[in-house]
Amino acid sequence: MEIKQKINLDFGRDTMPITVFAKQNDNKTRFLEITPLNSGQSYALEEGITPRLQLTKSDGHTVFNDAKIENGVIIAELTAQALAAPGVAVAEIGLYKGEELLSSQTFYIDVERAAFDKDAPTSSDEYNALVDAFNKIDGAAVTADQAAKDAAVAVENANKAAETAAAAVEAANGSTAAADTAAGNANAAADSANAAKEAADTAAENANTAAGAANTATENANSATENANKAADAAGNLNISAEQTATGATITVTDREGVQTSVHIDTLTAIKTWEDVKNAVRLGLGATLFPVGYEFTTEDSVTGAVITW
Protein backbone atom coordinates (compact mmCIF):
# COMPACT_ATOMS: atom_id res chain seq x y z
CA MET A 1 0.00 0.00 0.00
CA GLU A 2 2.19 2.82 -1.31
CA ILE A 3 1.74 6.10 -3.17
CA LYS A 4 4.78 7.09 -5.23
CA GLN A 5 4.75 10.60 -6.71
CA LYS A 6 7.21 11.21 -9.52
CA ILE A 7 8.81 14.65 -9.80
CA ASN A 8 11.84 16.20 -11.53
CA LEU A 9 14.23 18.32 -9.44
CA ASP A 10 16.89 20.48 -11.05
CA PHE A 11 20.27 20.89 -9.34
CA GLY A 12 21.53 23.44 -11.90
CA ARG A 13 18.73 26.04 -12.00
CA ASP A 14 15.37 27.06 -10.56
CA THR A 15 12.15 26.21 -12.42
CA MET A 16 8.43 26.71 -11.90
CA PRO A 17 7.49 25.87 -8.28
CA ILE A 18 6.73 22.18 -7.70
CA THR A 19 4.08 21.25 -5.11
CA VAL A 20 3.47 17.70 -3.86
CA PHE A 21 0.18 16.66 -2.21
CA ALA A 22 0.18 14.71 1.09
CA LYS A 23 -2.14 14.02 4.04
CA GLN A 24 -1.33 14.72 7.67
CA ASN A 25 -0.32 11.67 9.79
CA ASP A 26 0.13 9.26 6.83
CA ASN A 27 2.90 6.77 7.69
CA LYS A 28 5.09 4.40 5.60
CA THR A 29 2.88 4.89 2.52
CA ARG A 30 4.01 8.07 0.73
CA PHE A 31 7.24 8.20 -1.27
CA LEU A 32 8.79 10.60 -3.78
CA GLU A 33 10.52 9.28 -6.91
CA ILE A 34 12.82 12.14 -7.87
CA THR A 35 14.58 12.30 -11.23
CA PRO A 36 17.68 14.55 -10.90
CA LEU A 37 18.32 17.13 -13.64
CA ASN A 38 21.14 19.54 -14.47
CA SER A 39 19.73 22.65 -16.15
CA GLY A 40 16.96 20.59 -17.70
CA GLN A 41 19.21 17.71 -18.81
CA SER A 42 19.51 14.25 -17.26
CA TYR A 43 21.95 14.26 -14.30
CA ALA A 44 23.77 10.98 -13.54
CA LEU A 45 24.58 10.52 -9.84
CA GLU A 46 28.15 9.27 -9.26
CA GLU A 47 29.20 6.54 -6.83
CA GLY A 48 29.49 7.41 -3.13
CA ILE A 49 26.68 10.02 -3.04
CA THR A 50 24.19 9.98 -0.14
CA PRO A 51 20.89 11.83 -0.87
CA ARG A 52 18.99 13.37 2.05
CA LEU A 53 15.54 14.98 2.37
CA GLN A 54 15.88 18.41 4.06
CA LEU A 55 12.51 19.84 5.08
CA THR A 56 11.08 22.66 7.20
CA LYS A 57 7.46 22.07 8.30
CA SER A 58 4.80 24.74 8.56
CA ASP A 59 5.26 24.91 12.35
CA GLY A 60 9.01 25.56 12.04
CA HIS A 61 10.25 22.07 13.00
CA THR A 62 12.74 20.46 10.63
CA VAL A 63 13.29 16.99 9.14
CA PHE A 64 16.66 15.66 7.95
CA ASN A 65 16.40 12.05 6.70
CA ASP A 66 18.46 9.79 4.43
CA ALA A 67 16.98 8.82 1.06
CA LYS A 68 18.27 6.15 -1.35
CA ILE A 69 19.22 5.84 -5.02
CA GLU A 70 17.65 3.18 -7.24
CA ASN A 71 18.57 3.04 -10.95
CA GLY A 72 19.58 6.69 -10.96
CA VAL A 73 16.33 7.84 -9.27
CA ILE A 74 16.22 9.25 -5.72
CA ILE A 75 13.62 7.57 -3.45
CA ALA A 76 12.61 9.70 -0.43
CA GLU A 77 10.04 8.63 2.18
CA LEU A 78 7.60 11.18 3.61
CA THR A 79 7.67 9.93 7.21
CA ALA A 80 4.91 10.40 9.77
CA GLN A 81 6.99 13.14 11.38
CA ALA A 82 7.49 14.90 8.03
CA LEU A 83 3.68 14.98 7.66
CA ALA A 84 2.84 15.72 11.32
CA ALA A 85 2.05 19.44 10.82
CA PRO A 86 -0.67 20.52 8.36
CA GLY A 87 0.23 23.32 5.96
CA VAL A 88 2.93 23.93 3.38
CA ALA A 89 6.35 22.40 4.08
CA VAL A 90 9.43 23.74 2.27
CA ALA A 91 11.81 21.00 1.09
CA GLU A 92 14.91 20.21 -0.97
CA ILE A 93 17.22 17.26 -1.68
CA GLY A 94 20.85 17.51 -0.57
CA LEU A 95 23.52 15.32 -2.21
CA TYR A 96 26.38 14.53 0.21
CA LYS A 97 29.82 13.08 -0.58
CA GLY A 98 32.54 13.62 2.03
CA GLU A 99 32.68 17.39 2.60
CA GLU A 100 30.82 18.13 -0.65
CA LEU A 101 27.15 19.22 -0.68
CA LEU A 102 24.93 19.92 -3.72
CA SER A 103 21.30 21.03 -3.10
CA SER A 104 18.35 20.84 -5.47
CA GLN A 105 15.84 23.55 -6.28
CA THR A 106 13.24 24.15 -3.57
CA PHE A 107 9.93 22.31 -3.77
CA TYR A 108 6.81 22.30 -1.57
CA ILE A 109 4.74 19.65 0.18
CA ASP A 110 1.10 20.69 0.74
CA VAL A 111 0.13 18.66 3.83
CA GLU A 112 -3.67 18.61 4.03
CA ARG A 113 -5.07 18.48 7.57
CA ALA A 114 -6.35 15.03 8.56
CA ALA A 115 -10.05 14.73 9.36
CA PHE A 116 -9.26 12.15 12.05
CA ASP A 117 -6.11 12.46 14.16
CA LYS A 118 -6.49 9.99 17.07
CA ASP A 119 -3.02 9.12 18.44
CA ALA A 120 -1.41 11.41 15.85
CA PRO A 121 2.31 12.07 16.48
CA THR A 122 3.27 15.41 17.99
CA SER A 123 5.25 17.47 15.51
CA SER A 124 8.97 17.71 16.35
CA ASP A 125 12.37 17.75 14.65
CA GLU A 126 13.48 14.47 13.02
CA TYR A 127 17.16 13.83 12.17
CA ASN A 128 17.39 10.17 11.14
CA ALA A 129 20.54 10.84 9.07
CA LEU A 130 22.38 12.13 12.15
CA VAL A 131 21.13 9.23 14.28
CA ASP A 132 22.65 6.81 11.74
CA ALA A 133 25.98 8.66 11.93
CA PHE A 134 26.00 8.48 15.74
CA ASN A 135 25.22 4.73 15.63
CA LYS A 136 28.24 4.18 13.36
CA ILE A 137 30.42 6.03 15.87
CA ASP A 138 29.16 3.85 18.74
CA GLY A 139 29.88 0.74 16.66
CA ALA A 140 33.48 1.85 16.08
CA ALA A 141 34.03 2.28 19.82
CA VAL A 142 32.66 -1.23 20.51
CA THR A 143 34.94 -2.70 17.81
CA ALA A 144 37.99 -1.00 19.32
CA ASP A 145 37.16 -2.32 22.79
CA GLN A 146 36.75 -5.88 21.45
CA ALA A 147 40.07 -5.62 19.60
CA ALA A 148 41.83 -4.65 22.82
CA LYS A 149 40.32 -7.69 24.62
CA ASP A 150 41.39 -10.01 21.76
CA ALA A 151 44.92 -8.63 21.97
CA ALA A 152 45.10 -9.37 25.70
CA VAL A 153 44.02 -12.98 25.08
CA ALA A 154 46.63 -13.35 22.32
CA VAL A 155 49.40 -12.09 24.63
CA GLU A 156 48.36 -14.59 27.32
CA ASN A 157 48.42 -17.45 24.80
CA ALA A 158 51.86 -16.36 23.57
CA ASN A 159 53.23 -16.44 27.14
CA LYS A 160 51.89 -19.99 27.63
CA ALA A 161 53.46 -21.08 24.32
CA ALA A 162 56.81 -19.62 25.39
CA GLU A 163 56.70 -21.53 28.71
CA THR A 164 55.95 -24.77 26.83
CA ALA A 165 58.86 -24.13 24.45
CA ALA A 166 61.28 -23.52 27.36
CA ALA A 167 60.27 -26.83 28.96
CA ALA A 168 60.80 -28.61 25.63
CA VAL A 169 64.29 -27.09 25.25
CA GLU A 170 65.19 -28.18 28.79
CA ALA A 171 64.00 -31.71 28.07
CA ALA A 172 66.00 -31.77 24.84
CA ASN A 173 69.17 -30.72 26.65
CA GLY A 174 68.68 -33.61 29.11
CA SER A 175 68.22 -36.05 26.24
CA THR A 176 71.41 -34.80 24.54
CA ALA A 177 73.43 -35.35 27.75
CA ALA A 178 72.13 -38.89 27.96
CA ALA A 179 73.13 -39.45 24.35
CA ASP A 180 76.68 -38.21 25.02
CA THR A 181 77.00 -40.61 27.97
CA ALA A 182 75.79 -43.49 25.85
CA ALA A 183 78.29 -42.56 23.12
CA GLY A 184 81.15 -42.74 25.73
CA ASN A 185 80.21 -46.36 26.32
CA ALA A 186 79.94 -47.13 22.60
CA ASN A 187 82.38 -50.08 22.80
CA ALA A 188 79.99 -51.83 25.15
CA ALA A 189 76.65 -50.87 23.62
CA ALA A 190 77.14 -49.18 20.24
CA ASP A 191 73.68 -49.99 18.98
CA SER A 192 71.99 -48.63 22.13
CA ALA A 193 74.07 -45.44 21.95
CA ASN A 194 73.12 -44.77 18.32
CA ALA A 195 69.43 -45.26 19.17
CA ALA A 196 69.70 -42.85 22.10
CA LYS A 197 71.49 -40.29 19.89
CA GLU A 198 68.70 -40.45 17.30
CA ALA A 199 66.10 -39.96 20.04
CA ALA A 200 68.02 -36.94 21.32
CA ASP A 201 68.17 -35.36 17.84
CA THR A 202 64.43 -35.85 17.39
CA ALA A 203 63.73 -34.23 20.76
CA ALA A 204 65.97 -31.28 19.85
CA GLU A 205 64.15 -30.84 16.53
CA ASN A 206 60.80 -30.89 18.34
CA ALA A 207 62.11 -28.31 20.79
CA ASN A 208 63.20 -26.04 17.94
CA THR A 209 59.77 -26.43 16.32
CA ALA A 210 58.08 -25.50 19.61
CA ALA A 211 60.36 -22.48 19.97
CA GLY A 212 59.43 -21.38 16.42
CA ALA A 213 55.75 -21.76 17.27
CA ALA A 214 56.27 -19.65 20.37
CA ASN A 215 57.97 -16.92 18.33
CA THR A 216 55.12 -16.95 15.83
CA ALA A 217 52.55 -16.69 18.65
CA THR A 218 54.50 -13.78 20.13
CA GLU A 219 54.56 -12.00 16.74
CA ASN A 220 50.80 -12.55 16.37
CA ALA A 221 50.23 -11.16 19.87
CA ASN A 222 52.31 -8.07 19.07
CA SER A 223 50.40 -7.58 15.81
CA ALA A 224 47.04 -7.92 17.63
CA THR A 225 48.20 -5.43 20.26
CA GLU A 226 49.25 -2.97 17.54
CA ASN A 227 45.86 -3.35 15.80
CA ALA A 228 44.06 -2.85 19.12
CA ASN A 229 46.06 0.32 19.78
CA LYS A 230 45.23 1.60 16.30
CA ALA A 231 41.54 0.82 16.82
CA ALA A 232 41.59 2.50 20.23
CA ASP A 233 43.30 5.56 18.70
CA ALA A 234 40.69 5.61 15.93
CA ALA A 235 37.87 5.47 18.47
CA GLY A 236 39.48 8.24 20.46
CA ASN A 237 39.82 10.39 17.34
CA LEU A 238 36.10 10.32 16.58
CA ASN A 239 34.73 13.82 16.98
CA ILE A 240 31.32 15.44 16.88
CA SER A 241 30.91 19.21 16.86
CA ALA A 242 28.06 21.67 16.33
CA GLU A 243 28.32 25.32 15.33
CA GLN A 244 25.38 27.73 15.45
CA THR A 245 24.78 29.99 12.41
CA ALA A 246 22.54 32.97 11.78
CA THR A 247 19.80 30.78 10.29
CA GLY A 248 20.36 27.36 11.80
CA ALA A 249 23.27 25.08 12.77
CA THR A 250 26.14 23.17 11.13
CA ILE A 251 26.82 19.68 12.63
CA THR A 252 30.17 18.03 11.75
CA VAL A 253 30.99 14.32 12.36
CA THR A 254 34.65 13.19 11.92
CA ASP A 255 35.07 9.41 11.58
CA ARG A 256 38.05 7.17 12.49
CA GLU A 257 39.77 7.88 9.11
CA GLY A 258 39.51 11.64 9.60
CA VAL A 259 36.76 12.05 6.98
CA GLN A 260 34.33 14.81 7.90
CA THR A 261 30.63 14.93 7.11
CA SER A 262 29.00 18.34 7.59
CA VAL A 263 25.27 18.95 7.62
CA HIS A 264 23.77 22.43 7.52
CA ILE A 265 20.16 22.86 8.63
CA ASP A 266 18.86 26.19 7.27
CA THR A 267 15.43 27.54 8.36
CA LEU A 268 15.37 30.39 5.82
CA THR A 269 14.60 29.70 2.15
CA ALA A 270 15.46 32.13 -0.69
CA ILE A 271 12.43 34.03 -2.06
CA LYS A 272 12.45 33.96 -5.85
CA THR A 273 8.84 33.77 -7.09
CA TRP A 274 5.37 34.98 -6.11
CA GLU A 275 4.67 31.40 -5.03
CA ASP A 276 7.62 31.72 -2.62
CA VAL A 277 6.16 34.98 -1.25
CA LYS A 278 2.76 33.32 -0.72
CA ASN A 279 4.28 30.34 1.08
CA ALA A 280 6.51 32.57 3.23
CA VAL A 281 3.47 34.55 4.39
CA ARG A 282 1.61 31.29 5.12
CA LEU A 283 4.55 30.23 7.26
CA GLY A 284 4.33 33.48 9.27
CA LEU A 285 7.56 34.92 7.83
CA GLY A 286 6.01 37.86 5.95
CA ALA A 287 6.84 40.59 8.48
CA THR A 288 10.40 39.31 8.83
CA LEU A 289 11.20 38.85 5.15
CA PHE A 290 9.25 41.85 3.79
CA PRO A 291 9.42 44.78 6.27
CA VAL A 292 7.79 48.17 5.62
CA GLY A 293 9.48 49.76 2.59
CA TYR A 294 10.28 46.46 0.87
CA GLU A 295 9.81 46.67 -2.93
CA PHE A 296 8.96 44.01 -5.51
CA THR A 297 9.55 44.52 -9.24
CA THR A 298 7.77 42.75 -12.09
CA GLU A 299 7.82 43.10 -15.87
CA ASP A 300 4.66 43.86 -17.85
CA SER A 301 4.14 40.89 -20.19
CA VAL A 302 2.75 43.15 -22.95
CA THR A 303 4.79 46.38 -22.83
CA GLY A 304 7.88 45.06 -21.13
CA ALA A 305 7.80 47.97 -18.64
CA VAL A 306 9.21 47.38 -15.14
CA ILE A 307 6.56 47.86 -12.44
CA THR A 308 7.54 48.56 -8.80
CA TRP A 309 5.13 47.36 -6.11
Side-chain angles (χ1 to χ4, degrees):
M1 187 175 65
E2 294 181 353
I3 295 293
K4 293 184 178 179
Q5 299 186 60
K6 298 180 179 181
I7 63 174
N8 297 331
L9 286 184
D10 208 306
F11 288 81
R13 67 179 183 181
D14 196 12
T15 65
M16 293 295 292
I18 299 172
T19 300
V20 175
F21 170 80
K23 285 285 292 187
Q24 182 188 14
N25 304 333
D26 281 357
N27 185 33
K28 299 183 182 299
T29 55
R30 293 192 180 272
F31 297 83
L32 301 180
E33 292 188 359
I34 302 166
T35 300
L37 301 177
N38 180 7
S39 299
Q41 302 298 316
S42 177
Y43 180 42
L45 301 178
E46 61 188 77
E47 292 292 330
I49 286 179
T50 299
R52 291 182 173 122
L53 175 65
Q54 302 171 166
L55 179 150
T56 299
K57 293 181 280 187
S58 61
D59 60 2
H61 287 296
T62 56
V63 171
F64 181 68
N65 290 343
D66 282 345
K68 58 183 178 180
I69 300 175
E70 294 182 356
N71 299 322
V73 177
I74 300 170
I75 307 298
E77 179 183 358
L78 299 181
T79 63
Q81 191 53 245
L83 304 178
V88 177
V90 183
E92 64 186 5
I93 294 295
L95 302 180
Y96 291 82
K97 185 176 182 181
E99 297 182 358
E100 300 177 9
L101 167 61
L102 180 64
S103 299
S104 73
Q105 68 181 109
T106 300
F107 66 99
Y108 304 94
I109 303 174
D110 188 2
V111 183
E112 181 178 315
R113 183 181 298 277
F116 179 70
D117 62 354
K118 183 180 183 296
D119 299 326
T122 302
S123 178
S124 63
D125 296 325
E126 181 177 60
Y127 303 127
N128 290 340
L130 294 181
V131 171
D132 290 341
F134 294 152
N135 287 338
K136 291 179 182 177
I137 292 170
D138 291 340
V142 171
T143 300
D145 182 62
Q146 185 60 46
K149 293 179 180 178
D150 291 343
V153 172
V155 170
E156 182 179 355
N157 291 337
N159 290 335
K160 290 180 179 179
E163 292 175 0
T164 301
V169 170
E170 183 177 355
N173 289 335
S175 295
T176 301
D180 290 340
T181 300
N185 299 321
N187 293 332
D191 292 341
S192 298
N194 289 334
K197 182 64 168 60
E198 290 177 2
D201 290 340
T202 300
E205 183 178 352
N206 291 338
N208 289 332
T209 300
N215 290 334
T216 300
T218 301
E219 291 176 0
N220 291 338
N222 291 335
S223 177
T225 300
E226 182 179 355
N227 290 335
N229 290 333
K230 289 181 179 180
D233 290 341
N237 288 333
L238 293 171
N239 183 50
I240 307 169
S241 62
E243 179 182 353
Q244 187 174 4
T245 68
T247 60
T250 298
I251 299 177
T252 301
V253 177
T254 304
D255 66 15
R256 72 180 74 177
E257 285 129 11
V259 177
Q260 291 186 338
T261 300
S262 295
V263 176
H264 182 246
I265 302 173
D266 195 341
T267 57
L268 183 61
T269 303
I271 303 299
K272 298 179 180 179
T273 66
W274 288 114
E275 187 69 18
D276 293 341
V277 172
K278 179 179 70 174
N279 288 317
V281 172
R282 285 178 174 177
L283 292 173
L285 300 176
T288 302
L289 298 179
F290 319 118
V292 176
Y294 195 91
E295 294 182 350
F296 299 93
T297 60
T298 59
E299 182 176 313
D300 190 289
S301 61
V302 178
T303 66
V306 175
I307 304 172
T308 301
W309 302 85

